Amino acid sequence: MAAKKNIVILGAGNAGIETAQGLSKALNPDEWSIKLVSDRPFHLHYLALLRTVVTEDGGFAEKAINPLDRIFQPGRPGEVVVGNATSVQDGVVNLEDGRQLPYDYLVVATGTTWAGPLAFPKTVEAKNKWIADWREKFGVANDIVILGAGAVGIELAGELKHYYPSKNVTVIHGDVLPMNATYPDKFRRRIVERWEALGVKFVLGDRGSVPQGNYTSITTEKGRTIKADLVVPTWGGRRNTAFLKSFDPSIVTAEGNIRVLPTLQVPLSNGKTNVYAAGDVIDWAEQKQLAKIPSHVAVVVPNILASIRGEKAPKVYGGFMEAILLPAGPTVGVMYLPLLWGIMFGDWVSSMLKAKTLFVQKAQALTGYP
């Protein structure tokens, strides 16, 4: 019997799992081995993690964080490998513990590394302590300052004011409006109006940093002093791609994104076409969002299968609309759809679509833990 060929998928976020499952359903287990490499033994559903670290309400710690042992269907090709990829060579992925994983096809879906409460550790025990520690920090603090008014900072501020309405919550952001210019100013102003109605304070057009040691205040770059007994960084995350630079430095941008063709193949300098990328890591002019991942997977999976058959890649990625929904607890939120003149929705639509459940049922279905 001929040796099996190998597909290695780096990253067990949604992009990696969905890609692995799509390939597993289509390939012969006698001919193909699929290894899904994760640096932790569980899947993190990031959309629910801010509420998870703020409160035990809703039981999100049990719903949004699930083991990886049910990713593949019985009898189908697929194995989860817990390990940290440290480098890639042509045809081989090297793990931190010395293991080497050969590949005929490689998919990089290693996602984003976050600061602050989303910087989850990699073991079950440390993860549980992380959640408990952040809940305690938020519980005892009275004056909370959040650095950054991207989606993470805005949602965290909303969660805190919902569950701790008497606490002072201030958001500092370098731009003159929250979020970024991807979204129209009218929507960005709507965020300020709705969050201020909850009691959140904004300091815009200014920046701050986490004070060292014990502190009772924070001083911004422009010299404003704000009372603070807890300062939380929520700046935009860094792409988890440093391990690729020794493989082919031409494919990694200065920001850490991976250059891709519209087929989501990585243009390697050696001319090979067997490496793909999906999820947050791709160098594409779009916001990094979970909603875009199915469209990435719908390109990567059929293109790999076509390559296996010796055919040209049939799918290209054309981007995805920049919609967004920002919850502030389970009953409040704002939503923007870039349709017609730009449509905005408020609390009721936000709650029904996302704020109440945070799509945890999708994460449970993805990991086989409904």
Side-chain angles (χ1 to χ4, degrees), residues 117-172:
L118 292 184
F120 269 65
K122 296 179 180 180
T123 68
V124 172
E125 295 77 12
K127 174 262 296 181
N128 293 338
K129 185 176 186 301
W130 183 264
I131 294 170
D133 287 350
W134 274 104
R135 288 177 179 173
E136 182 179 6
K137 289 178 187 178
F138 290 131
V140 301
N142 291 310
D143 300 289
I144 302 170
V145 173
I146 296 170
L147 303 178
V152 175
I154 290 295
E155 291 189 27
L156 178 58
E159 296 292 333
L160 288 169
K161 288 304 288 186
H162 176 83
Y163 289 103
Y164 295 105
S166 64
K167 294 183 186 291
N168 297 315
V169 177
T170 303
V171 180
I172 301 175

Side-chain angles (χ1 to χ4, degrees), residues 14-15 49 95 142 201 209 218 263 278 291 340:
N14 282 55
L49 293 186
L95 302 185
N142 291 310
K201 299 173 184 176
S209 57
I218 179 174
T263 55
L340 302 174

Side-chain angles (χ1 to χ4, degrees), residues 87-263:
S87 65
V88 174
Q89 300 164 256
D90 185 14
V92 177
V93 173
N94 299 305
L95 302 185
E96 190 172 39
D97 60 9
R99 285 178 291 174
Q100 292 187 311
L101 304 179
Y103 69 84
D104 296 279
Y105 291 91
L106 174 67
V107 181
V108 183
T110 42
T112 297
T113 301
W114 294 95
L118 292 184
F120 269 65
K122 296 179 180 180
T123 68
V124 172
E125 295 77 12
K127 174 262 296 181
N128 293 338
K129 185 176 186 301
W130 183 264
I131 294 170
D133 287 350
W134 274 104
R135 288 177 179 173
E136 182 179 6
K137 289 178 187 178
F138 290 131
V140 301
N142 291 310
D143 300 289
I144 302 170
V145 173
I146 296 170
L147 303 178
V152 175
I154 290 295
E155 291 189 27
L156 178 58
E159 296 292 333
L160 288 169
K161 288 304 288 186
H162 176 83
Y163 289 103
Y164 295 105
S166 64
K167 294 183 186 291
N168 297 315
V169 177
T170 303
V171 180
I172 301 175
H173 188 58
D175 203 351
V176 295
L177 288 170
M179 303 298 289
N180 60 49
T182 299
Y183 308 102
D185 286 356
K186 66 177 182 178
F187 176 67
R188 299 166 74 188
R189 287 192 293 267
R190 176 69 64 85
I191 296 169
V192 174
E193 294 166 1
R194 189 65 190 93
W195 264 241
E196 283 184 339
L198 300 174
V200 176
K201 299 173 184 176
F202 285 90
V203 176
L204 299 171
D206 205 348
R207 289 179 170 83
S209 57
V210 180
Q212 299 299 309
N214 296 323
Y215 55 87
T216 58
S217 66
I218 179 174
T219 301
T220 70
E221 288 185 358
K222 293 186 176 180
R224 180 170 178 174
T225 299
I226 302 167
K227 191 176 181 181
D229 54 10
L230 179 61
V231 177
V232 185
T234 65
W235 301 299
R238 294 178 292 105
R239 305 296 165 252
N240 192 14
T241 56
F243 65 93
L244 287 174
K245 291 182 179 178
S246 62
F247 172 46
D248 189 338
S250 72
I251 65 175
V252 182
T253 70
E255 296 77 24
N257 296 317
I258 300 173
R259 292 187 171 91
V260 290
L261 303 172
T263 55

Side-chain angles (χ1 to χ4, degrees), residues 262-338:
T263 55
L264 297 188
Q265 292 167 293
V266 178
L268 299 174
S269 56
N270 64 13
K272 291 189 176 181
T273 58
N274 63 334
V275 177
Y276 297 73
D280 284 3
V281 297
I282 70 169
D283 185 36
W284 203 271
E286 65 182 12
Q287 298 298 294
K288 308 301 183 181
Q289 293 176 322
L290 187 65
K292 296 183 172 71
I293 286 174
S295 296
H296 296 181
V297 174
V299 172
V300 171
V301 170
N303 285 351
I304 291 177
L305 295 175
S307 177
I308 290 170
R309 296 190 300 266
E311 301 169 2
K312 287 184 61 176
K315 300 290 185 179
V316 295
Y317 184 59
F320 195 83
M321 69 175 179
E322 296 293 358
I324 193 166
L325 195 164
L326 300 169
T331 60
V332 173
V334 293
M335 179 181 180
Y336 173 74
L337 284 177

